[in-house]
């Protein structure tokens, strides 16, 4: 048992599955009191049950993080939060002209605007207590344009900008609050599954538990940015890979290669 987060209240949005679930389990194993906000009540409860079975503490609330009044209400029912993990996310994964207006707006509502609603609900408390950590899960697609992800990539570029600006603002104000950005590349989760059936992926997927452990270590060390895997090192490879993705995507949709 690790106790680095002992007694800390850790709130994870979208903690009911994928990376959020792994972060919830990892935080609980490090002694945190875990709170999960998920749009799926069943998914959140199932993760809490897993945590309790191993002797950890966890509670779940059904919250749509894109709904401002629901976020305000849920926050008023929570204790103070020491570590906020902005993790809830959605992806459409279609070429721009095949993505509906509602799908585009929906991606920004969850992946970008919700960061503001949830973070603002807890930031004042963190500043007045003089400590707190906000972790924003962006994406490798928040650093690099990927074919078929114009809405997702833009929403994650914005998430990266949000977290970096927050970090600068918190540091300038000497608030004791830290903002971390995490840019994982391809993870094997329910979100990526639908996309990877359309995009045959050329990189081996990252394991969510491994990423969750690295995030927990980054929280302890208060590292500002975590890019996984070392995308900077593999950037030329990543670019080549995405060009190939584009070709395959166009093939898959029967579109002309001349569009490239
Ligand atoms: P990944 O872990 O790859 O980001 P998943 O789809 O496995 O992807 O997990 C995303 C989680 O975010 C899910 O548990 C999902 O229910 C949750 N989620 C999606 N939209 C919302 C929302 N509007 N409010 C709260 N949770 C959400």
């Amino acid at each position: 048992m690790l106790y680095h987060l002992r007694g800390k209240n850790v709130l994870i949005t979208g903690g009911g599955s994928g990376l959020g679930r792994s972060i919830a389990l990892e935080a609980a194993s490090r002694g945190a009191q875990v709170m999960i906000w998920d749009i799926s009540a069943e998914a959140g409860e199932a993760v809490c049950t897993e945590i309790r079975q191993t002797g950890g503490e966890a509670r779940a609330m059904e919250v749509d993080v894109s709904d401002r009044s629901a976020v305000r209400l849920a926050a008023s029912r929570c204790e103070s939060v020491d570590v906020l993990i902005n993790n809830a996310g959605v992806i459409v994964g279609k070429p721009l002209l095949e993505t509906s207006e509602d799908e585009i707006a929906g991606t920004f509502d969850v992946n970008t605007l919700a960061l503001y609603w949830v973070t603002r609900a807890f930031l004042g408390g963190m500043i007045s207590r003089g400590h707190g950590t906000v972790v924003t899960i962006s994406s490798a697609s928040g650093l690099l344009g990927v074919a078929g992800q114009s809405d997702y990539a833009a929403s994650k570029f914005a998430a990266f900008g949000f977290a970096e600006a927050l970090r600068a603002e918190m540091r300038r104000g000497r608030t004791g609050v830290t903002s971390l950005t995490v840019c994982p590349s391809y993870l094997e989760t329910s979100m990526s599954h639908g996309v990877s059936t359309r995009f045959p992926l050329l990189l081996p997927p990252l394991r969510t538990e491994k990423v969750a452990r690295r995030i927990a270590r980054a929280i302890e060390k208060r590292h500002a940015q975590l890019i996984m895997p070392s995308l900077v090192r593999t950037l030329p490879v990543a670019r080549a890979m995405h060009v190939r993705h584009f070709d395959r995507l166009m093939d898959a949709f029967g579109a002309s290669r001349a569009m490239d």
Side-chain angles (χ1 to χ4, degrees), residues 187-216:
L187 296 167
E188 184 83 57
T189 64
S190 56
M191 178 192 282
S192 54
H193 187 71
V195 178
S196 65
T197 50
R198 291 193 293 276
F199 290 83
L201 280 143
L202 305 171
L203 271 189
L206 295 176
R207 292 204 5 254
T208 57
E209 313 83 71
K210 204 167 161 194
V211 174
R213 275 200 299 279
R214 290 187 60 181
I215 292 171

Side-chain angles (χ1 to χ4, degrees), residues 234-257:
T234 59
L235 204 58
V237 177
R239 283 197 192 285
M241 179 187 93
H242 292 308
V243 170
R244 272 186 282 163
H245 270 177
F246 187 87
D247 283 351
R248 291 196 186 191
L249 182 77
M250 289 300 132
D251 287 348
F253 285 90
S256 160
R257 296 284 284 271

Side-chain angles (χ1 to χ4, degrees), residues 146-230:
V146 179
Q149 294 189 9
S150 61
D151 57 335
Y152 184 76
S155 74
K156 291 295 191 178
F157 265 73
F160 188 79
F162 165 80
E164 291 297 287
L166 180 64
R167 181 163 62 87
E169 190 172 311
M170 292 298 103
R171 210 170 37 193
R172 169 171 287 202
R174 296 196 167 82
T175 59
V177 177
T178 309
S179 169
L180 289 171
T181 325
V182 183
C183 295
S185 76
Y186 174 58
L187 296 167
E188 184 83 57
T189 64
S190 56
M191 178 192 282
S192 54
H193 187 71
V195 178
S196 65
T197 50
R198 291 193 293 276
F199 290 83
L201 280 143
L202 305 171
L203 271 189
L206 295 176
R207 292 204 5 254
T208 57
E209 313 83 71
K210 204 167 161 194
V211 174
R213 275 200 299 279
R214 290 187 60 181
I215 292 171
R217 282 204 297 274
I219 291 170
E220 282 152 26
K221 293 185 182 155
R222 312 191 112 208
H223 275 171
Q225 274 182 37
L226 206 55
I227 297 170
M228 292 177 287
S230 39

Side-chain angles (χ1 to χ4, degrees), residues 9-209:
N9 290 325
V10 178
L11 168 61
I12 301 141
T13 68
S17 93
L19 180 60
R21 169 183 165 274
S22 292
I23 296 172
L25 296 172
E26 181 66 27
S29 79
R30 288 170 185 250
Q33 283 148 356
V34 167
M35 167 66 81
I36 291 173
W37 281 10
D38 204 289
I39 200 164
S40 161
E42 303 79 61
E45 269 313 323
V47 176
C48 289
T49 305
E50 272 188 87
I51 290 174
R52 288 188 208 111
Q53 277 164 355
T54 52
E57 281 184 60
R59 240 168 21 105
M61 290 171 83
E62 181 182 344
V63 185
D64 175 352
V65 292
S66 68
D67 178 337
R68 289 183 234 177
S69 48
V71 167
R72 272 197 294 272
L73 182 65
S76 73
R77 292 178 177 162
C78 285
E79 291 162 30
S80 62
V81 166
D82 301 298
V83 180
L84 164 64
I85 317 262
N86 283 317
N87 164 79
V90 291
I91 193 164
V92 177
K94 290 194 271 189
L96 180 58
L97 293 179
E98 291 177 26
T99 314
S100 73
E101 291 174 358
D102 285 346
E103 284 174 327
I104 293 166
T107 301
F108 281 89
D109 278 341
V110 179
N111 296 1
T112 306
L113 291 176
L115 302 174
Y116 293 82
W117 318 145
V118 180
T119 305
R120 281 162 52 103
F122 296 102
L123 190 63
M126 288 180 179
I127 293 172
S128 61
R129 288 189 303 281
H131 72 88
T133 305
V134 179
V135 181
T136 299
I137 310 295
S138 174
S139 168
S141 300
L143 300 166
L144 189 80
V146 179
Q149 294 189 9
S150 61
D151 57 335
Y152 184 76
S155 74
K156 291 295 191 178
F157 265 73
F160 188 79
F162 165 80
E164 291 297 287
L166 180 64
R167 181 163 62 87
E169 190 172 311
M170 292 298 103
R171 210 170 37 193
R172 169 171 287 202
R174 296 196 167 82
T175 59
V177 177
T178 309
S179 169
L180 289 171
T181 325
V182 183
C183 295
S185 76
Y186 174 58
L187 296 167
E188 184 83 57
T189 64
S190 56
M191 178 192 282
S192 54
H193 187 71
V195 178
S196 65
T197 50
R198 291 193 293 276
F199 290 83
L201 280 143
L202 305 171
L203 271 189
L206 295 176
R207 292 204 5 254
T208 57
E209 313 83 71

